[in-house]
Amino acid sequence: MVTGAGIGERAQHCAGRTEVNLNGCNELTDGGIGELARHCAGLTEVNLGGCDELFSELTDGGIGELARHCAALTSVNPMGCNKLTDGGMRELAQHYARLTECNINDCSALT
């Protein structure tokens, strides 16, 4: 199982990565996603789908880290991230004119 801390440790060695699939990693944290975003600023695709379990701490803060650090993002999949709110989506929209895909199915906190 990949946790927020595990993502941070691995991100330090993946600076050239352009895609990351964290689908089903239900112990994601804003801190782990922040580490990923800071160390892998060239990401173009991020799949966070399935982070809806009780243990996930991924919120608007983690999405904001992606928005601030990963300027090349074209695809973000936060499907099922129940702690993602309209504020996090606004931050994504403000930073990404190139964003062509964003799956927000089952994000129950969005209005």
Side-chain angles (χ1 to χ4, degrees), residues 74-85:
T74 59
S75 176
V76 178
N77 177 6
M79 183 180 88
C81 293
N82 293 325
K83 295 178 183 171
L84 177 61
T85 70

Side-chain angles (χ1 to χ4, degrees), residues 8-68:
E9 291 170 14
R10 288 185 177 117
Q12 294 176 22
H13 307 287
C14 300
R17 182 169 291 279
T18 59
E19 298 176 13
V20 65
N21 183 353
L22 299 171
N23 186 55
C25 295
N26 52 18
E27 289 192 24
L28 297 177
T29 64
D30 291 342
I33 295 300
E35 287 292 311
L36 178 73
R38 285 187 288 282
H39 290 288
C40 305
L43 288 171
T44 60
E45 295 182 30
V46 178
N47 183 355
L48 304 169
C51 65
D52 60 344
E53 299 295 324
L54 295 174
F55 301 110
S56 178
E57 294 299 322
L58 183 61
T59 69
D60 292 343
I63 297 298
E65 290 289 325
L66 288 173
R68 287 186 289 282

